[in-house]
Amino acid sequence: MNGSSCCVRFICEIGDATAAVFHDALKLISFTGETISELFLALRNPLRIRWKETLYYMNMCGANALPISSLICLLMGLILGYQSAVQMHKYGADAFLPALVGCSIVRELGPLMIAVIATGRAGSAFAAEIATMKATEEINAMQTMGFSPWRFLVIPKLLAMICMMPLLTFFGDMFGIAGGMIVGTFELDIPVHTYYTQTVYWVPPRFFVESLTKSIVFAIIVTGICCLRGFEAEEDSLGIGRATTSSVVTSIIVIIVADTLMARMFNMIFYGSAV
Amino acid sequence: MESGYAVEVREVSVGYGAKTVLRDVSFRVRRGEIVALLGGSGCGKSTILKAVIGLLPVQSGEILIEGESMVSCSWAARRKIQRKFGVAFQGGALFRSYTVRENIALPMEEYTDLSREEIDRRVREKLKLVDLSGTEEMMPGDLSGGMVKRAAVARALALDPHILFLDEPSAGLDPLNSARLDDLIRNIRNRLNAAIVIVTHELDSIFAIADRAVFLDRDAGTVIAEGPPAELRDHSPVEKVRVFLNRGHLEKKE
Ligand SMILES: Nc1ncnc2c1ncn2[C@@H]1O[C@H](COP(=O)(O)OP(=O)(O)OP(=O)(O)O)[C@@H](O)[C@H]1O
Ligand SMILES: [Mg+2]
């Protein structure tokens, strides 16, 4: 008796969980569909784009994020430089420091760090903004006035992030390399010019293509997930907090997963094999 | 079209998820008529309003706006219908990132070909109607609660709609402004021959402006009385309605 009721409950829970997954998937699909169709409309008729908002977000998640992004990338370069210089010095491999720092920063750490910073700065703000607008019925008002919330809320953020993330990433890459250069010059006595030519030799332009491609993908992930979480938020102050937390957590997980897949993909493209 | 109803709600049941808040609600509003939705707090006035303006799917029933169905229509068709009416939400729902002027100008910029000057002129005119002249460049966050409500009414009027839905526009207003708002609503009705559905708790404004009242009840979960407010107050067979409209007293009994 007890066993069978337990079993029934177990089956019910599996059912509920499956239904929840399907429900989520459905919401994700409709959100993505709306976003793509609205993006398509926007690109066909750029006058439809809300430029004022777009410029505001460009400033907020681009220009205003530059100092902190640059600082963190510079420090990443320094840390990477210090940690590897110690080990490499033991084997007399000092000359490879520019290669190690350059490749790590440009191919991996630059785009990743910028994406994580953007999630914390811009993504959480997106989620909180949309969740608040939902709670104050602004989104309802928008809908009854016949305005698409996607056009007003999602597309400006998406365009701003797609424009600004590659720029931030490029600056971040440069600052990261500069960080490595500081270590190389002052700790390993590598002349600046040598460090520079070594970096140019070991970090070909296609690595920057990888860097910027990743940053565009991350921009789409961060904006999409954070906006979606905002739209899904419950309409109270706790709901806004939860939406913000879950937007950041989900974004970071998805970013890391996407990064793993892209690292593999770019290795295949560059070297013809995964490793 | 003149013969038909501006808003027709037929045996509508609405609720959130599996929960039904109201069932079998029916009422109709003609052009030029002001109908008050009454009922205790939490009886579902805002809920039925949300269903009528297409924000909440109905569980059953039919809603017609100027003869066109809001229930069984495509998404694009619903948007088109939505442009026919103006809505002032209970909390105002002004866009916080825009100034008052931008809030009111937005529908005009999107849906008309008016010049900037003409839009500015109309924004000033609407704000004057609700006694908010001079607040054009303020952000909604800097307005008081009552001012936000009046600005929301001004925004609902932006496109001179023929149908207006006002959710407690006068709650939180001082008596003077509340009376002014009543005048304004009557003016709009006369000027645009508009159909107006208003949710309110102010007995004075109910008797002053409403041609008919639709009384919702939380326990019954549906409409329990409908008719001219004065008549309901004195002759409604439902005691609850008489009590409500007599401000809780039934001194006139016997
Ligand atoms: N988003 C929601 N999810 C679930 N239930 C809700 C939701 N919004 C409202 N309700 C419930 O629906 C019922 C009716 O709410 P509604 O807001 O329509 O009341 P109201 O008549 O407008 O009250 P008031 O006069 O205070 O504005 C309430 O019992 C409320 O608990
Ligand atoms: Mg309400």
Side-chain angles (χ1 to χ4, degrees):
Chain A
M1 182 66 209
N2 196 12
S4 82
S5 92
C6 223
C7 192
V8 168
R9 222 176 55 214
F10 182 65
I11 291 172
C12 284
E13 294 214 344
I14 291 184
D16 280 349
T18 316
V21 167
F22 271 109
H23 193 68
D24 278 356
L26 218 62
K27 274 198 290 195
L28 182 66
I29 290 169
S30 86
F31 176 82
T32 315
E34 283 275 359
T35 310
I36 291 172
S37 80
E38 197 58 52
L39 192 63
F40 186 69
L41 284 176
L43 295 182
R44 269 210 331 203
N45 180 7
L47 285 179
R48 262 180 76 86
I49 299 173
R50 302 286 306 175
W51 286 109
K52 198 184 129 201
E53 284 85 349
T54 310
L55 292 174
Y56 167 81
Y57 289 118
M58 281 183 173
N59 186 39
M60 171 212 151
C61 58
N64 294 349
L66 187 58
I68 175 141
S69 305
S70 312
L71 178 69
I72 288 186
C73 284
L74 180 76
L75 294 178
M76 284 306 296
L78 272 176
I79 296 167
L80 203 58
Y82 277 121
Q83 295 286 19
S84 46
V86 176
Q87 306 299 329
M88 292 171 103
H89 195 62
K90 283 187 202 159
Y91 303 103
D94 292 5
F96 291 106
L97 185 72
L100 191 139
V101 172
C103 291
S104 316
I105 291 282
V106 173
R107 291 196 60 191
E108 203 50 59
L109 291 173
L112 194 60
M113 289 315 290
I114 298 290
V116 171
I117 297 168
T119 307
R121 273 188 94 261
S124 59
F126 294 168
E129 178 196 321
I130 293 180
T132 310
M133 290 184 73
K134 200 177 165 202
T136 56
E137 292 203 285
E138 280 174 70
I139 297 204
N140 280 346
M142 216 170 245
Q143 274 171 343
T144 49
M145 289 162 86
F147 303 149
S148 153
W150 274 267
R151 184 173 146 230
F152 277 74
L153 299 175
V154 180
I155 299 302
K157 297 180 174 69
L158 190 60
L159 290 180
M161 287 285 272
I162 290 178
C163 292
M164 299 322 271
M165 286 271 280
L167 285 177
L168 284 177
T169 305
F170 182 75
F171 280 109
D173 290 346
M174 290 299 148
F175 275 95
I177 291 174
M181 188 180 273
I182 292 172
V183 176
T185 318
F186 292 103
E187 301 289 329
L188 299 180
D189 296 325
I190 303 172
V192 172
H193 182 70
T194 314
Y195 196 101
Y196 171 76
T197 48
Q198 282 292 303
T199 303
V200 171
Y201 178 78
W202 287 108
V203 187
R206 61 172 194 226
F207 284 1
F208 281 95
V209 173
E210 175 177 1
S211 195
L212 301 188
T213 310
K214 280 183 174 179
S215 74
I216 291 176
V217 173
F218 294 157
I220 295 171
I221 291 174
V222 172
T223 319
I225 288 178
C226 294
C227 290
L228 176 64
R229 286 288 186 250
F231 281 119
E232 287 174 355
E234 285 132 76
E235 290 147 30
D236 51 44
S237 26
L238 287 180
I240 296 170
R242 271 198 300 270
T244 314
T245 308
S246 105
S247 71
V248 171
V249 173
T250 317
S251 295
I252 290 181
I253 293 173
V254 176
I255 284 171
I256 300 276
V257 172
D259 196 22
T260 315
L261 297 177
M262 279 192 289
R264 204 185 130 93
M265 186 188 87
F266 277 103
N267 273 351
M268 298 284 274
I269 294 172
F270 293 158
Y271 307 114
S273 70
V275 283
Chain B
M1 188 91 341
E2 284 305 312
S3 60
Y5 290 96
V7 180
E8 192 167 354
V9 176
R10 285 191 200 150
E11 288 167 15
V12 164
S13 300
V14 279
Y16 299 91
K19 189 176 92 179
T20 302
V21 174
L22 288 169
R23 60 179 60 80
D24 289 339
V25 175
S26 303
F27 61 87
R28 301 189 276 204
V29 189
R30 274 196 203 84
R31 288 286 296 271
E33 197 176 30
I34 300 179
V35 169
L37 281 182
L38 309 179
S41 190
C43 70
K45 302 181 296 294
S46 302
T47 305
I48 188 78
L49 211 58
K50 265 188 220 160
V52 174
I53 61 182
L55 286 177
L56 196 66
V58 300
Q59 291 167 343
S60 67
E62 176 68 292
I63 293 167
L64 302 172
I65 303 285
E66 293 190 335
E68 290 176 82
S69 171
M70 282 291 273
V71 176
S72 54
C73 65
S74 74
W75 196 69
R78 180 170 314 151
R79 265 199 190 175
K80 228 165 127 195
I81 301 174
Q82 282 173 331
R83 268 184 229 169
K84 294 182 181 175
F85 52 71
V87 185
F89 286 85
Q90 190 165 5
L94 295 180
F95 303 130
R96 309 275 181 106
S97 49
Y98 297 157
T99 63
V100 173
R101 181 179 56 72
E102 287 168 330
N103 263 287
I104 300 170
L106 196 59
M108 299 189 230
E109 283 165 4
E110 291 290 325
Y111 297 129
T112 67
D113 300 321
L114 301 173
S115 67
R116 262 202 85 77
E117 293 74 38
E118 178 61 16
I119 289 178
D120 276 347
R121 197 186 62 71
R122 291 197 184 189
V123 168
R124 277 197 302 275
E125 174 195 306
K126 306 287 179 222
L127 282 174
K128 191 152 173 260
L129 276 179
V130 294
D131 199 22
L132 281 178
S133 297
T135 58
E136 282 90 344
E137 297 310 321
M138 287 173 82
M139 301 303 282
D142 301 335
L143 299 179
S144 75
M147 290 162 91
V148 167
K149 291 225 148 152
R150 281 180 285 155
V153 174
R155 185 177 68 180
L157 292 175
L159 294 175
D160 291 332
H162 293 159
I163 304 173
L164 261 183
F165 297 100
L166 310 172
D167 197 347
E168 301 198 17
S170 52
L173 290 190
D174 58 90
L176 254 178
N177 269 315
S178 186
R180 277 189 51 103
L181 196 67
D182 288 347
D183 286 341
L184 170 67
I185 291 168
R186 247 194 320 246
N187 273 338
I188 295 164
R189 189 258 309 265
N190 296 341
R191 203 161 51 94
L192 302 172
N193 191 25
I196 301 179
V197 177
I198 177 169
V199 175
T200 179
H201 292 302
E202 311 279 316
L203 291 178
D204 294 338
S205 50
I206 295 168
F207 294 119
I209 61 171
D211 300 310
R212 259 173 334 113
V214 174
F215 208 99
L216 301 171
D217 184 62
R218 186 177 179 150
D219 303 323
T222 186
V223 179
I224 54 169
E226 185 179 346
E231 199 170 299
L232 285 185
R233 175 187 58 194
D234 301 331
H235 306 298
S236 171
V238 190
E239 178 169 341
K240 226 177 211 171
V241 176
R242 276 175 289 146
V243 173
F244 186 99
L245 291 173
N246 281 303
R247 213 178 279 277
H249 311 299
L250 265 188
E251 68 268 29
K252 280 201 279 189
K253 249 187 121 181
E254 267 99 45

